[in-house]
């Protein structure tokens, strides 16, 4: 039996090709009906209706109050589908994936996790404070370039210090920097860096300035609506956006609640460090990235390369390892999903 660390994706992973994901993969119909009822009671479109729509709509499906809950349900469904051939030793996630991590790890019940995700997604959409930009700091070979990364972060700090500008690092995402800021800060960064591949710098549609001080009002309202009593001791170790491990039986639940609805909302989320800690602390045979989508796999691989895990120096080395003996299983790729769900008995 192989050991596995499970990685839960964040926003931006339920796209056009993921439409119908819950219909294809979410087998607990009673739980999905419960999620739908909660959504309807709150005056929101049900997940079944969103997932079963005839066409994908950027304006509808990427909204925070829709995307977050769709992604949470997809993640939870995939987590329960992981086969008995894998022994899950820890769980982590990217950004909103921390909420999914809490549910997969057992610190929140499935419905408690949904309450957190649905509430925070709605608050983000209602306020929609600031925005996000993505920009790479590694080349096509994924080889780490610390000087380039440091230079970009220095530029971010300089822009953020200008009067009337707000800009900061939102997520350290493998080979990418996700930046959060106000309109002036984001525009200044876009004007200061060269375009790459006709894609970057990339504005993220319907994304607020996650993981930045701009979200303080959202964090405060989240703490008001979501009590510490939702949280329990986890069943699995959980690695947060600082690289801190929350161990079963040893969690200060008040601190876990406070981290989730304060620090995690208003401070940088270091996904790169979370993956490095997962690799070094738990030394798993594989990393399993749940759905929806496949976009987080590259960031996991880049984070392992940055950590010099198993001698992975660049993209070519990672691909060679994947061909020889996969270290990363993305449940959004059918062939890899089959490996992740092998041995499923219930």
């Amino acid at each position: 039996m192989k050991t596995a660390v499970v990685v839960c994706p964040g926003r931006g992973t339920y796209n056009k090709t993921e439409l119908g994901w819950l219909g294809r993969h979410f087998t607990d119909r009673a739980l999905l009906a419960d999620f739908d009822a909660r959504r309807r009671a709150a005056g929101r479109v049900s997940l079944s209706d969103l997932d079963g729509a005839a066409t994908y709509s950027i304006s509808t499906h990427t909204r925070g109050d829709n995307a977050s809950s769709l992604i949470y349900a997809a993640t939870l469904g995939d987590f329960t589908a992981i086969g008995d051939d894998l022994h899950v030793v820890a769980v982590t996630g990217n950004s909103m994936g921390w909420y999914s991590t809490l549910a997969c790890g057992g610190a929140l019940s499935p419905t408690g996790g949904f309450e957190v995700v649905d509430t925070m997604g709605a608050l983000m959409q209602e306020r929609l404070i600031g925005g996000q930009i993505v920009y790479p700091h590694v080349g096509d070979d994924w080889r780490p370039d610390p000087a380039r990364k440091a230079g970009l972060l220095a530029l971010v700090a300089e822009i953020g210090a200008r009067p009337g500008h707000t800009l900061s690092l939102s997520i350290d995402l493998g080979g990418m920097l996700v930046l959060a800021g106000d309109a002036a800060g984001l525009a200044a960064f876009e004007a200061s860096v060269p375009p790459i591949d006709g894609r970057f710098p990339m504005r993220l549609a319907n994304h607020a300035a996650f993981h930045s001080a701009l979200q303080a009002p959202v964090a405060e309202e989240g703490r008001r609506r979501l009590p510490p009593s939702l949280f329990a001791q986890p069943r699995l170790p959980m690695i947060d956006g600082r690289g801190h491990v929350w161990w079963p039986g040893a969690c200060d639940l008040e601190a876990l609640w406070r981290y989730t609805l304060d620090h995690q909302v208003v401070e940088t989320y270091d996904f790169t460090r979370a993956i490095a800690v997962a690799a070094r602390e738990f030394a798993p045979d594989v990393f399993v990235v749940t759905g929806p989508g496949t976009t987080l796999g590259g960031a996991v691989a880049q984070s392992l390369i940055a950590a010099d895990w198993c001698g992975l120096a660049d993209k070519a080395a990672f691909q060679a390892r994947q061909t020889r003996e996969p270290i990363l299983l993305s449940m959004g790729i059918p062939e890899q999903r089959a490996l992740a769900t092998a041995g499923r008995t219930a």
Side-chain angles (χ1 to χ4, degrees):
M1 179 181 293
K2 291 186 175 182
T3 59
V5 167
V6 172
V7 186
C8 303
R11 287 281 301 275
T13 54
Y14 189 104
N15 297 302
K16 184 176 181 179
T17 54
E18 282 68 58
L19 191 66
W21 188 282
L22 300 183
R24 295 190 296 272
H25 300 303
F26 198 97
T27 58
D28 191 336
R29 296 290 111 183
L31 183 59
L32 184 58
D34 181 87
F35 292 168
D36 286 345
R38 290 168 185 266
R39 295 268 301 178
R40 292 189 183 106
R44 292 193 271 277
V45 181
S46 74
L47 297 188
S48 293
D49 287 346
L50 288 167
D51 187 64
T55 57
Y56 178 84
S57 166
I58 291 178
S59 62
T60 298
H61 287 88
T62 67
R63 287 172 55 99
D65 51 356
N66 293 335
S68 297
S69 298
L70 280 168
I71 292 164
Y72 170 79
T75 295
L76 193 65
D78 276 9
F79 181 78
T80 62
I82 292 172
D84 298 331
D85 286 357
L86 293 178
H87 173 53
V88 178
V89 294
V91 190
T92 189
N94 174 46
S95 187
M96 186 224 93
W98 172 246
Y99 303 143
S100 304
T101 296
L102 290 166
C104 294
L108 291 172
S109 68
T111 53
F114 185 80
E115 184 176 348
V116 170
V117 168
D118 211 49
T119 298
M120 296 303 288
L123 288 175
M124 288 284 187
Q125 184 63 35
E126 289 167 9
R127 314 273 175 121
L128 211 59
I129 304 168
Q132 281 182 315
I133 283 178
V134 178
Y135 196 74
H137 60 82
V138 298
D140 291 340
D141 61 1
W142 292 358
R143 188 176 292 274
D145 188 344
R148 174 173 164 76
K149 182 178 182 181
L152 288 168
L153 290 175
L155 173 63
V156 170
E158 187 274 317
I159 292 173
R162 296 177 190 174
H165 292 67
T166 300
L167 190 69
S168 62
L169 177 62
S170 173
I171 309 172
D172 193 321
L173 187 61
M176 298 280 187
L177 299 178
V178 183
L179 309 178
D182 61 8
L186 296 173
F189 181 82
E190 288 172 326
S192 300
V193 295
I196 298 176
D197 297 335
R199 298 177 61 209
F200 304 105
M202 179 192 295
R203 292 266 187 140
L204 298 177
N206 272 328
H207 282 222
F210 306 142
H211 313 298
S212 78
L214 290 172
Q215 296 305 311
V218 171
E220 183 178 2
E221 182 63 17
R223 292 192 299 274
R224 191 186 71 79
R225 296 191 191 184
L226 299 164
S229 58
L230 286 169
F231 291 75
Q233 290 293 331
R235 296 185 301 273
L236 291 168
M238 306 179 304
I239 306 152
D240 69 21
R242 304 165 297 179
H244 174 78
V245 181
W246 298 86
W247 295 95
C251 288
D252 178 333
L253 297 183
E254 177 82 15
L256 181 59
W257 170 80
R258 174 69 61 172
Y259 167 76
T260 299
L261 298 172
D262 187 6
H263 187 287
Q264 190 271 145
V265 182
V266 300
E267 301 287 347
T268 298
Y269 199 97
D270 195 341
F271 178 76
T272 305
R273 177 165 173 75
I275 293 299
V277 169
R280 292 166 178 160
E281 185 73 36
F282 298 96
D285 295 310
V286 294
F287 286 82
V288 177
V289 182
T290 66
T294 61
T295 55
L296 190 60
V300 174
Q302 291 161 0
S303 298
L304 293 173
I305 291 167
D308 194 25
W309 179 246
C310 292
L312 299 176
D314 53 23
K315 185 176 183 178
F318 169 76
Q319 291 175 329
R321 172 61 189 265
Q322 280 290 97
T323 300
R324 184 175 73 253
E325 183 181 5
I327 195 172
L328 174 65
L329 301 179
S330 175
M331 295 184 75
I333 299 173
E335 298 80 7
Q336 294 181 14
R337 184 182 187 88
L339 295 174
T341 58
R344 184 72 183 159
T345 57

